Amino acid sequence: MKRKWWKESVVYQIYPRSFMDSNGDGIGDIKGITSKLDYLKELGIDVVWLSPVYKSPNDDNGYDISDYRAIMDEFGTMSDWEEMLDEMHNRGIKLMMDLVVNHSSDEHAWFVESRKSKDNPYRDYYIWRPGKDGKEPTNWESAFSGSTWEYDETTDEYFLHIFSKKQPDLNWENPIVRGEVYDMMKFWFEKGVDGFRMDVINFISKVDDYPDAPNPEGKKYVSGHEYFMNGPRIHEFLQEMHREVLSKYDSITVGEMPGVTPEQGRLYTGEDRNELQMVFQFEHMDLDSVPGKGKWALAPLKLTDLKKSFTKWQKGLEEDGWNSLYWNNHDQPRIVSRFGNDSPGYREISAKMLATCLHMLQGTPYIYQGEEIGMTNVKFDSIDDYRDIETLNMYNEKVHENGEDPENIMVSIYTKGRDNARTPVQWDSSEQAGFTTGIPWIKVNPNYTEINAKQAVEDQNSIFHYYRNLIQLRKQHDIVVYGTYNLLLPDDEKIYAYTRTLGDETLLVICNFSGETPVFNIPNSVNYTAKEVFVSNYEVDSNEDITSFTLKPYEARVYKLS
Ligand code: NOJ
């Protein structure tokens, strides 16, 4: 396996709206980010992935871009951005920008032109179709509820939008559109960025006949994923992007790819494929939903499913390709509330256990802002306190159109809503958690008086320092980056145990995902003559015999065996 700097890196994701507000308008901004770079340096991360900071009407908080080469007014100016980049580079931190090119905003100049007439030069920048029998061209359902098609009176046609109707899909079949995207990427590379995270990049190639999706239950709209996920020309487009742009820069790339399998993951990330370096796959994020019913249909996680899924990806990309590792991002609920335990007695210990389990796997770890201090999900009493378009559209459809019980819907929002990840970062115990001197655009989680970065940095035993240690261990020990993964005890419902092996060294990773005290019995396949404690979330007596021992609630231990 080839050594690469991006395999040895740890990435930290910033969702700028919620990170740090420097000017008191209640919205996080670029100067706010710059003011916190020493904090990130102390944590020890190597790369920042910055969610979109481009000009945007904010229908989907910046994932709807109206100018790819300008900075959103609320976030600051281009010179603020340049200063931020310089200050990152001065600290040895690289910057990965978000590339959102499956769709633009409907306020982008291209779309404003495109909708004017059928013969406008920009018409083919987007996907326009006539209606079918007085209805939408297909029965596909948008990721944000309703149809994927919006009727436009001016030309009596519909345009495709997989996300909101203010996010029209770009037409990648048009080589001029592809050229525009590549030029824009070069513009940012020339400004000094170090790579891109690519938003739903496996959606850019659509099947060309646009059929209806099967609809056995006779619903109004149904998912049409199979017609645009991993579509017919996706590899051709990514290889072209690589040839035209990525091959010219020593960069880091990760493609966000719902619905991708390890086999496809190898095609996207294989060494000789000349596409991307990593994908964000979603299999482990779907395990606490009822299969096929969408994210809001809640189901408990089965640890054996999580192990099966991680193992499939670890083994699937072990010879060729590379994994990304994540528990959180701006679209997911907080992991300590989700797969850990956020009650006061267990929050810290379970957050450390989850961190251990993830960071000892093979791949590049991503930390989402606030994860390193164990931020939790939030429960606002009223739907009016929520801001996310996905959540609000879903609530509206289920409660107001379908007449479902609002209390049940609130439970699914508390469990899965994206705003769980978007409450402001809790910097200290002062008003508004030190995020802003004004009124924040979304309420602060009231637990900020106990859970905040200041407290965590001061306490050597905090989750923050635990993450810091995990990051340092990765830098000091090749085995953490390059060791081969093998699952132990596949059928255990409480303990996730695995090994990593490199040369004659082995790491033995043991994580108790439960609040109970299961007994760990070392499998016969694990042989060693010497052992030392590599990292653990409780104090461990290094002389303890490990052939069989009782784990404490949410205990995580890693041994180095030789
Ligand atoms: C994925 C992004 O992570 C999410 O926040 C966004 O809503 C959709 N793509 C659409 O851009």
Side-chain angles (χ1 to χ4, degrees):
M1 181 178 288
K2 278 200 200 131
R3 298 188 72 109
K4 296 279 183 195
W5 63 264
W6 45 265
K7 293 181 179 173
E8 298 170 7
S9 294
V10 176
V11 183
Y12 185 92
Q13 184 194 351
I14 292 180
Y15 191 69
R17 209 171 184 77
S18 304
F19 189 67
M20 179 66 202
D21 174 23
S22 73
N23 63 358
D25 67 355
I27 296 170
D29 49 39
I30 289 174
K31 278 189 182 297
I33 297 172
T34 308
S35 73
K36 294 295 183 186
L37 292 177
D38 286 336
Y39 169 82
L40 296 184
K41 182 74 192 160
E42 186 176 354
L43 181 59
I45 54 95
D46 308 278
V47 180
V48 164
W49 150 27
L50 181 58
S51 279
V53 291
Y54 314 98
K55 213 173 217 37
S56 163
N58 283 308
D59 191 51
D60 187 19
N61 288 353
Y63 282 93
D64 49 320
I65 297 169
S66 54
D67 185 345
Y68 288 101
R69 297 174 193 231
I71 300 294
M72 191 190 299
D73 291 335
E74 289 170 331
F75 290 168
T77 63
M78 188 61 93
S79 77
D80 295 341
W81 181 88
E82 284 161 357
E83 181 194 43
M84 177 195 73
L85 181 64
D86 285 348
E87 291 298 329
M88 285 181 177
H89 286 168
N90 288 342
R91 289 168 178 76
I93 296 173
K94 293 184 158 67
L95 175 63
M96 205 176 180
M97 293 286 272
D98 215 307
L99 185 78
V100 189
V101 290
N102 173 68
H103 44 268
S104 73
S105 163
D106 66 338
E107 296 182 34
H108 193 292
W110 299 336
F111 192 77
V112 172
E113 285 301 311
S114 185
R115 75 190 326 171
K116 279 184 181 161
S117 66
K118 286 186 183 165
D119 56 7
N120 187 286
Y122 289 90
R123 185 69 171 178
D124 278 343
Y125 272 49
Y126 295 87
I127 300 169
W128 292 96
R129 291 285 182 281
K132 214 171 57 189
D133 312 324
K135 287 204 310 224
E136 294 91 355
T138 71
N139 61 357
W140 305 350
E141 182 173 37
S142 150
F144 294 160
S145 309
S147 170
T148 54
W149 298 95
E150 181 72 7
Y151 179 69
D152 201 55
E153 254 182 12
T154 317
T155 55
D156 187 29
E157 282 194 334
Y158 292 79
F159 66 85
L160 180 73
H161 61 91
I162 294 174
F163 294 90
S164 100
K165 60 182 183 215
K166 286 185 67 63
Q167 293 168 299
D169 280 51
L170 284 160
N171 177 16
W172 276 70
E173 297 296 323
N174 180 350
I176 304 174
V177 168
R178 305 203 298 274
E180 296 264 22
V181 170
Y182 306 151
D183 284 350
M184 178 269 284
M185 292 172 74
K186 285 186 217 154
F187 167 84
W188 288 104
F189 272 126
E190 293 307 316
K191 289 185 86 59
V193 308
D194 304 287
F196 287 104
R197 173 267 186 190
M198 304 185 186
D199 194 68
V200 287
I201 200 70
N202 64 330
F203 286 13
I204 59 178
S205 166
K206 279 87 177 167
V207 295
D208 39 39
D209 52 345
Y210 287 81
D212 272 338
N215 187 6
E217 293 169 41
K219 291 190 179 156
K220 192 159 179 204
Y221 304 113
V222 283
S223 162
H225 288 162
E226 59 270 43
Y227 307 114
F228 51 77
M229 268 180 189
N230 310 305
R233 296 182 71 190
I234 183 69
H235 294 293
E236 179 195 334
F237 292 161
L238 289 176
Q239 285 169 11
E240 181 183 74
M241 177 194 282
H242 190 274
R243 201 165 53 241
E244 296 293 322
V245 188
L246 298 173
S247 62
K248 302 182 181 10
Y249 304 90
D250 179 21
S251 59
I252 175 168
T253 55
V254 56
E256 187 204 22
M257 298 203 180
V260 73
T261 63
E263 293 68 40
Q264 289 160 336
R266 261 198 312 274
L267 296 177
Y268 287 118
T269 69
E271 296 252 350
D272 301 326
R273 295 281 306 168
N274 294 324
E275 297 188 17
L276 301 174
Q277 292 159 349
M278 294 170 256
V279 300
F280 284 139
Q281 54 90 10
F282 285 85
E283 235 180 72
H284 62 303
M285 296 280 101
D286 293 336
L287 298 176
D288 55 353
S289 303
V290 182
K293 297 281 177 205
K295 71 181 252 184
W296 304 107
L298 309 179
L301 172 75
K302 273 184 75 187
L303 183 63
T304 41
D305 290 344
L306 182 72
K307 297 197 271 193
K308 220 181 278 162
S309 167
F310 274 165
T311 302
K312 196 164 81 180
W313 280 91
Q314 290 283 300
K315 300 314 273 181
L317 301 190
E318 116 187 325
E319 303 280 324
D320 194 20
W322 190 250
N323 272 295
S324 70
L325 307 171
Y326 72 94
W327 284 132
N328 291 278
N329 60 43
H330 63 291
D331 296 329
Q332 299 295 335
R334 294 281 180 183
I335 200 64
V336 69
S337 305
R338 187 178 190 180
F339 296 169
N341 185 332
D342 63 8
S343 67
Y346 288 134
R347 184 185 64 89
E348 294 199 71
I349 208 77
S350 67
K352 291 175 186 172
M353 182 281 289
L354 289 163
T356 314
C357 179
L358 193 81
H359 283 240
M360 290 296 125
L361 292 170
Q362 190 183 65
T364 299
Y366 290 70
I367 301 170
Y368 177 66
Q369 63 186 36
E371 175 183 338
E372 77 282 9
I373 58 169
M375 279 179 62
T376 68
N377 282 352
V378 74
K379 287 183 182 163
F380 297 134
D381 292 336
S382 163
I383 189 69
D384 298 339
D385 288 327
Y386 286 85
R387 298 286 174 267
D388 172 31
I389 180 168
E390 180 192 45
T391 296
L392 297 175
N393 285 2
M394 179 280 286
Y395 183 92
N396 205 24
E397 182 180 285
K398 295 204 191 244
V399 174
H400 297 135
E401 289 173 29
N402 304 349
E404 291 184 38
D405 176 6
E407 266 180 44
N408 284 344
I409 304 301
M410 288 312 278
V411 171
S412 51
I413 294 173
Y414 294 156
T415 315
K416 286 290 183 67
R418 304 197 297 180
D419 282 336
N420 284 306
R422 299 175 180 188
T423 59
V425 171
Q426 294 161 207
W427 292 107
D428 58 39
S429 59
S430 68
E431 219 179 316
Q432 309 299 3
F435 163 73
T436 180
T437 54
I439 308 294
W441 69 277
I442 184 170
K443 282 188 177 167
V444 168
N445 190 320
N447 63 19
Y448 70 92
T449 47
E450 288 95 60
I451 304 170
N452 61 68
K454 181 158 183 288
Q455 179 279 331
V457 170
E458 281 165 7
D459 173 7
Q460 286 304 314
N461 197 26
S462 67
I463 302 168
F464 177 88
H465 287 286
Y466 195 86
Y467 267 87
R468 212 175 144 223
N469 186 32
L470 289 173
I471 296 169
Q472 290 315 313
L473 288 170
R474 167 173 299 269
K475 300 203 181 314
Q476 291 154 2
H477 301 272
D478 274 355
I479 189 169
V480 176
V481 180
Y482 296 106
T484 303
Y485 166 96
N486 275 306
L487 180 66
L488 305 172
L489 311 174
D491 300 324
D492 196 303
E493 280 298 352
K494 300 196 173 85
I495 304 172
Y496 188 172
Y498 59 87
T499 54
R500 301 284 308 282
T501 309
L502 190 68
D504 50 15
E505 273 181 1
T506 295
L507 292 179
L508 169 62
V509 182
I510 308 159
C511 296
N512 177 9
F513 270 70
S514 78
E516 292 160 45
T517 52
V519 173
F520 172 77
N521 292 306
I522 203 164
N524 291 333
S525 58
V526 183
N527 298 307
Y528 61 98
T529 48
K531 67 170 195 312
E532 60 183 88
V533 180
F534 192 66
V535 60
S536 66
N537 63 349
Y538 285 89
E539 286 223 12
V540 173
D541 171 3
S542 53
N543 293 319
E544 185 178 345
D545 177 15
I546 58 166
T547 32
S548 179
F549 65 94
T550 302
L551 284 159
K552 298 194 175 71
Y554 301 105
E555 180 164 8
R557 285 192 202 186
V558 182
Y559 284 97
K560 189 154 136 210
L561 309 176
S562 49

